[in-house]
Amino acid sequence: EDQVTQSPEALRLQEGESSSLNCSYTVSGLRGLFWYRQDPGKGPEFLFTLYSAGEEKEKERLKATLTKKESFLHITAPKPEDSATYLCAVQAQTGANNLFFGTGTRLTVIP
Amino acid sequence: DAGITQSPRHKVTETGTPVTLRCHQTENHRYMYWYRQDPGHGLRLIHYSYGVKDTDKGEVSDGYSVSRSKTEDFLLTLESATSSQTSVYFCAISDNFQETQYFGPGTRLLVL
């Protein structure tokens, strides 16, 4: 069964304190792994798609990496505006057209 | 929100009443999806559409129906709302099969 587990559930960082969020997955043939950011009361906002182990993508203070079993979202020198819930989702190569989402990591960056 | 609107944004209703949520897109994307988001669960797919009048079930489709009569509109109907359907509902769109999905702002539904 396809499954996505995100850790930690919540993370508090001081401004400038770098850290990583983890997304572990099991899927019968990975087509893509997606990272989204979700602010309170809003819909998920697309950040990255990763397709194969070893791939990395960057956007401002965020860098996403992918292995065969997990993905990391590295946050370098975070700012308070990076506070949000970060969602990971995986898509299998076959089967219905949908994404399997994790429950997210709620990040708080303290000034 | 990638040209996606949802209406209403908030709704309170009573058990047993019908409820219809609307998703409207201006991107002319072929695929549209309805998800629900609940505490302790990831987003879960209810139904999706791969074209006008073409729909299929997702993971949690019981108690829900959908319709798509135009490319830009995808309706989600709760025929007889139950308290277990209290949730936040998100619409998403994608240009093609297994392409990136973009989400709308959500509808918060409370069933009393």
Side-chain angles (χ1 to χ4, degrees):
Chain A
E1 180 179 314
D2 299 338
Q3 199 166 14
V4 178
T5 303
Q6 291 188 247
S7 62
E9 288 188 16
L11 181 63
R12 290 171 64 90
L13 299 173
Q14 290 291 137
E15 185 172 359
E17 178 187 2
S18 301
S19 188
S20 297
L21 313 182
N22 178 264
C23 172
S24 298
Y25 65 90
T26 54
V27 65
S28 51
L30 179 71
R31 188 262 170 188
L33 185 141
F34 300 79
W35 282 99
Y36 288 84
R37 169 191 170 128
Q38 186 174 24
D39 293 302
K42 296 193 175 182
E45 174 188 348
F46 171 71
L47 293 173
F48 304 108
T49 308
L50 301 167
Y51 294 103
S52 57
E55 188 175 3
E56 298 183 353
K57 288 195 177 171
E58 289 189 61
K59 180 180 180 180
E60 297 181 354
R61 295 176 293 281
L62 301 177
K63 182 170 79 172
T65 62
L66 181 65
T67 73
K68 288 186 177 180
K69 293 186 177 182
E70 57 191 350
S71 176
F72 292 94
L73 185 65
H74 307 277
I75 303 176
T76 303
K79 298 182 178 181
E81 53 262 42
D82 295 322
S83 297
T85 296
Y86 290 86
L87 304 175
C88 170
V90 297
Q91 193 167 55
Q93 289 181 347
T94 59
N97 182 18
N98 58 24
L99 302 181
F100 293 98
F101 280 85
T103 53
T105 294
R106 187 174 67 255
L107 174 66
T108 304
V109 181
I110 304 162
Chain B
D1 291 324
I4 309 169
T5 56
Q6 293 185 232
S7 58
R9 294 294 314 280
H10 302 272
K11 186 169 182 67
V12 180
T13 191
E14 294 187 349
T15 299
T17 59
V19 176
T20 296
L21 308 183
R22 179 180 183 240
C23 176
H24 178 78
Q25 60 143 331
T26 58
E27 305 296 322
N28 200 36
H29 281 6
R30 180 181 173 192
Y31 285 79
M32 298 185 75
Y33 313 81
W34 278 107
Y35 289 88
R36 61 179 290 174
Q37 187 174 42
D38 304 290
H41 293 273
L43 283 152
R44 292 179 291 174
L45 183 69
I46 305 171
H47 282 279
Y48 68 98
S49 169
Y50 47 97
V52 173
K53 297 185 179 178
D54 293 323
T55 65
D56 205 350
K57 296 179 179 180
E59 180 188 0
V60 290
S61 59
D62 287 348
Y64 302 95
S65 62
V66 290
S67 65
R68 191 169 178 200
S69 58
K70 297 185 291 185
T71 298
E72 58 266 34
D73 290 325
F74 192 31
L75 303 181
L76 176 71
T77 297
L78 292 64
E79 301 289 347
S80 178
T82 68
S83 59
S84 64
Q85 293 176 313
T86 290
S87 187
V88 182
Y89 291 87
F90 289 100
C91 174
I93 63 173
S94 68
D95 194 22
N96 214 331
F97 181 67
Q98 293 191 329
E99 293 297 321
T100 299
Q101 294 183 22
Y102 297 92
F103 286 80
T107 293
R108 189 172 295 273
L109 176 67
L110 175 60
V111 183
L112 300 175

